[in-house]
Amino acid sequence: MRVCNGEWPPYMSESLKHYGVGSRIVSEAFASQGVEVEYDFLPWKRGLSYAREGFRDGTIGWLRRPDKERHFWYSDPIFSTKWVFLHLKEKDFEWRTVSDLAGLKVGAIIGNTYTAEFRAAENAGTIKVVRIKNEASAMKMLLSGRIDVYPTDIHVAYSTLSKWFSQESINKLTYHPHPLMDEPTFLLLSKKIPRNRSIITIFNKGLQALKASGQYEAYLSELDVVPLSRHSKPNQ
């Protein structure tokens, strides 16, 4: 199997041991069923296109979205992600619905779709969204005040911050506990390749075996404990 992968540490990365926790889960699930996986690390948009057209067997680490279900067989969930809004501790920020983001400069990665409500508000212009090329650039803009809030998976946030920024900078940031998204990720196998309809069943069987063995939880437990916490100001 040749599967497209991308940079989204600590879940997936060419530079990490086992290519990250998410990649390891996929590899081990397949291996338990006698299937070997090779990863091609590509930009996300290109990897998705290659898999959709059948140039690769599939791609990993995607959320479930209707536009992809026409082209791919979805696996059982690989791992869950929780997306929260990061912001500077010095800035007051409270939110419950997307409409609460009005008047703020909201960072977002180019190509990420987020939720249907988020996309609708962005397209309607009711929230101001600044599209950014990658996580590190988003963090830099957040720290400099060029954006007010930024949604990201909490483990991805800390992985990026700990690699590229000083502890002094990290200490300036916090996050709101109410999630924008709390969703699982999936392996997608291309419907252009006939055998993939049965391969996805084989993978799901391997994933179930991995969970039953206890290794699945052991792999997830290797994710760093994130020291970022919800900031609360003292009563005035």
Side-chain angles (χ1 to χ4, degrees):
M1 296 287 294
R2 291 191 67 183
V3 174
C4 295
N5 208 329
E7 291 297 320
W8 204 46
Y11 300 113
M12 287 92 74
S13 176
E14 192 171 14
S15 64
L16 291 177
K17 186 179 180 180
H18 305 294
Y19 301 130
V21 173
S23 304
R24 187 178 192 183
I25 289 170
V26 172
S27 298
E28 293 293 336
F30 268 129
S32 73
Q33 304 303 304
V35 179
E36 184 179 353
V37 179
E38 294 182 10
Y39 292 118
D40 291 329
F41 281 85
L42 300 167
W44 288 106
K45 187 175 181 180
R46 188 189 308 168
L48 183 66
S49 176
Y50 277 18
R52 183 176 59 242
E53 297 305 316
F55 300 136
R56 299 293 187 275
D57 288 289
T59 178
I60 74 168
W62 296 88
L63 305 179
R64 184 178 287 276
R65 294 293 182 263
D67 62 317
K68 296 180 180 64
E69 290 180 347
R70 298 194 306 271
H71 306 287
F72 295 100
W73 302 111
Y74 269 75
S75 72
D76 290 342
I78 303 171
F79 59 87
S80 291
T81 63
K82 182 177 180 179
W83 298 61
V84 293
F85 282 104
L86 269 64
H87 64 95
L88 288 168
K89 287 181 179 178
E90 66 187 32
K91 289 184 178 289
D92 288 324
F93 173 63
E94 292 293 337
W95 90 287
R96 286 293 164 182
T97 67
V98 170
S99 62
D100 295 330
L101 304 176
L104 299 175
K105 290 176 288 184
V106 183
I109 296 297
I110 295 169
N112 279 11
T113 57
Y114 304 96
T115 66
E117 294 78 11
F118 187 96
R119 296 193 301 275
E122 179 183 9
N123 292 337
T126 55
I127 62 173
K128 181 177 177 57
V129 178
V130 180
R131 289 286 176 172
I132 306 164
K133 63 182 180 178
N134 57 44
E135 290 278 334
S137 296
M139 299 301 179
K140 185 175 181 180
M141 292 179 70
L142 190 62
L143 285 162
S144 67
R146 292 164 62 194
I147 56 175
D148 297 307
V149 294
Y150 171 61
T152 184
D153 173 89
I154 191 63
H155 287 289
V156 174
Y158 187 64
S159 177
T160 302
L161 287 166
S162 60
K163 180 177 181 179
W164 298 107
F165 296 88
S166 67
Q167 189 61 49
E168 180 182 5
S169 293
I170 295 172
N171 291 342
K172 294 178 180 179
L173 296 175
T174 187
Y175 69 93
H176 195 286
H178 182 63
L180 173 65
M181 300 187 293
D182 194 349
E183 297 186 47
T185 65
F186 301 86
L187 165 70
L188 278 57
L189 294 185
S190 177
K191 290 183 177 180
K192 291 270 189 179
I193 301 174
R195 65 176 177 145
N196 279 346
R197 186 167 188 171
S198 60
I199 292 292
I200 203 74
T201 301
I202 292 171
F203 172 78
N204 289 339
K205 183 179 179 181
L207 186 60
Q208 291 169 8
L210 195 66
K211 290 180 178 180
S213 72
Q215 284 301 308
Y216 178 85
E217 289 298 333
Y219 295 156
L220 288 179
S221 70
E222 294 174 5
L223 291 171
D224 291 333
V225 174
V226 177
L228 289 173
S229 61
R230 172 69 173 118
H231 179 63
S232 59
K233 292 186 176 180
N235 294 328
Q236 299 297 319

